[in-house]
Amino acid sequence: MKSLWTLYRRELDLAWGRGGGPLLACAFYACVATLLPLAAGPSPERLAAVAPGSAWLALALASLLSLERLFERDYEDGALDLLTLGPAPIEAVAFVKCLAQWTANGLPLAVFAPLAAVALGAPVEVVPLTLACALIGGLGFAFVGGTGAALALGARRGGVLVAVVVLPLFAPPVIFGAGTIEAFAAGLNWTPGFAFLAAYSLAAVALTPLAMGAAVRNALS
Amino acid sequence: MIARVSVENLSVGRGERVLFQGLSFALAAGEAVALIGANGAGKTSLLRAVAGFVRPLHGLVRFEGADGEREPDEARSQGLHLLGHHDGLKPGRTAWEELRFQTLWAGGTEASARAAVEKLQLKPLLDLEIRKLSAGQRRRVSLARLAAAPRPLWLLDEPLAPLDAERRARMGELMAAHLAGGGMILAAVHDPLPVPAKTVEIGAAVA
């Protein structure tokens, strides 16, 4: 456990270190959210209608940004060998890496998401629910995204490959997340959508480390 | 604790090409083996096969402890250091941060990392970022991990290549101490190892 904590600290340090990954993701998020009124037209009614959906789309895209480096940098410089020969199985290493990815990128983005939604014209009452959805959905994004990153190890132009592999898998959280917020804003029952979103993320947390472990082993052989 | 490693009738290939076949040798506690062979003969692949990364085409690698045979995965994750061309050091972190992490991850302690710093004279480098180190300095930081986290089997790929003469002598002392303590060294080299070693030639059998 202690060594996994050490690994978690290192991953956070790498994510926050030079390059400013999380800040970059937030800036990207802000850019997408700002472009939307220019594309969809500035009328408040129309913007308010698409605000929850577009906030989620931007969230999914921003979560992709730093995924490419998640395993790739350790693969290129040999650190993945070292991590594999450590005290914990590679599945646990993958789990910790994704958890750190979520902490470093998912949390700042989740704080940003309600701001963007409100700025686009969503009612202020949706803020707590948007935050909760973005937190939980971000967990799913990090783990499913990590699977794509592990699968793309060693491929040329891995970043694009990660996006192509991962974006279709992001469909469920985008549907449930945006649906939950829209239902809440319309005064409907929002709990089923929220439950589905949580189920997706928890399933990803439980299952994807196995896939990542297999993908990493394959890449190293 | 691994006390004996045996490579039995091992064949390793990369893609369609067979690098070597029918290789057998054993390594007992306190012994060193120098792997020699032309570039591309498969020295690195053999090291990676012993470390469990490359699956051999035939044959197997067995690890024995004092009390009989050990499960290979367990023996590898607790008992060996692999130090290759890629040292896993992150350019943006300081030498101490990286050495500390690698040591703790491999089962050492912060105190043992500090002791290794003394042994390898790394003190002036500790606060520098890895990107600012020369090739030889980087290699010394990664070699420090071997001394800091005690593991019986060292798999080394050209360990001394970037080091100067004085540092090679010091590394020789470190290797000798490791062997004297019951450790084992399997090293791919072009120059002779600074400790007495058996020589195994790779690739000679396959035309």
Side-chain angles (χ1 to χ4, degrees):
Chain A
M1 271 324 280
K2 198 161 160 241
S3 43
L4 286 178
W5 172 244
T6 317
L7 175 65
Y8 179 74
R9 297 276 304 275
R10 166 191 186 258
E11 291 296 324
L12 275 191
D13 192 44
L14 286 174
W16 274 106
R18 57 189 59 236
L23 291 179
L24 205 65
C26 286
F28 176 82
Y29 189 82
C31 290
V32 175
T34 322
L35 277 178
L36 185 84
L38 303 177
S43 94
E45 302 80 43
R46 188 183 293 172
L47 275 184
V50 296
S54 38
W56 266 88
L57 183 63
L59 193 64
L61 291 177
S63 323
L64 278 177
L65 281 185
S66 48
L67 278 178
E68 183 196 1
R69 304 300 292 155
L70 185 61
F71 288 99
E72 189 76 22
R73 63 178 171 223
D74 283 337
Y75 175 74
E76 278 169 2
D77 67 14
L80 213 46
D81 290 352
L82 190 81
L83 294 178
T84 310
L85 292 172
I90 192 66
E91 286 81 6
V93 171
F95 178 88
V96 170
K97 281 175 98 63
C98 290
L99 202 62
Q101 164 80 6
W102 177 66
T103 319
N105 269 293
L107 291 186
L109 282 174
V111 173
F112 225 71
L115 289 179
V118 171
L120 288 174
V124 180
E125 295 79 58
V126 305
V127 165
L129 188 63
T130 308
L131 180 66
C133 284
L135 279 178
I136 293 176
L139 196 60
F141 286 153
F143 276 79
V144 171
T147 312
L151 284 172
L153 268 185
R156 265 172 230 276
R157 300 185 53 76
V160 182
L161 186 60
V162 172
V164 171
V165 170
V166 160
L167 275 179
L169 298 174
F170 279 3
V174 168
I175 294 170
F176 295 130
T180 302
I181 297 166
E182 254 168 56
F184 178 82
L188 302 171
N189 183 8
W190 51 271
T191 43
F194 189 75
F196 271 117
L197 178 67
Y200 174 90
S201 291
L202 293 179
V205 171
L207 298 176
T208 57
L210 301 175
M212 285 185 266
V216 168
R217 272 196 209 96
N218 182 45
L220 286 177
S221 69
Chain B
M1 178 91 175
I2 313 171
R4 187 182 160 83
V5 182
S6 37
V7 169
E8 295 173 5
N9 194 25
L10 199 71
S11 303
V12 169
R14 300 302 274 156
E16 298 289 296
R17 203 160 64 93
V18 177
L19 289 171
F20 57 84
Q21 48 192 352
L23 184 73
S24 298
F25 67 90
L27 196 57
E31 282 183 347
V33 163
L35 294 171
I36 57 170
N39 294 132
K43 299 189 292 293
T44 300
S45 296
L46 172 62
L47 291 178
R48 291 185 72 77
V50 173
F53 292 121
V54 172
R55 191 169 299 164
L57 301 173
H58 297 290
L60 71 164
V61 181
R62 297 202 311 176
F63 298 89
E64 287 164 51
D67 47 356
E69 189 152 347
R70 298 279 305 270
E71 180 68 29
D73 285 343
E74 189 198 330
R76 282 168 177 140
S77 66
Q78 295 171 3
L80 69 80
H81 278 300
L82 173 67
L83 185 62
H85 299 297
H86 299 294
D87 47 25
L89 298 172
K90 291 281 175 285
R93 305 225 306 160
T94 66
W96 171 245
E97 284 172 334
E98 281 298 272
L99 175 61
R100 182 175 174 276
F101 169 72
Q102 294 197 344
T103 303
L104 292 179
W105 184 251
T109 61
E110 203 162 318
S112 65
R114 296 215 177 268
V117 164
E118 292 294 325
K119 261 186 233 167
L120 284 139
Q121 302 164 307
L122 290 173
K123 204 144 214 172
L125 307 180
L126 288 186
D127 292 331
L128 293 178
E129 285 183 358
I130 296 290
R131 73 174 81 241
K132 298 194 175 125
L133 302 184
S134 75
Q137 290 172 328
R138 276 182 76 134
R139 179 50 59 96
R140 275 159 60 205
V141 172
S142 51
L143 284 168
R145 178 177 103 220
L146 306 181
R151 291 181 163 204
L153 176 60
W154 291 2
L155 304 175
L156 310 175
D157 200 351
E158 301 277 354
L160 306 178
L163 300 186
D164 61 39
E166 190 202 325
R167 300 282 157 38
R168 284 187 184 205
R170 189 159 277 269
M171 201 52 218
E173 290 165 21
L174 208 64
M175 287 179 174
H178 177 63
L179 294 176
M184 290 165 279
I185 297 176
L186 178 60
V189 290
H190 290 294
D191 308 320
L193 275 181
V195 289
K198 290 194 287 189
T199 303
V200 171
E201 189 168 1
I202 293 188
V206 185

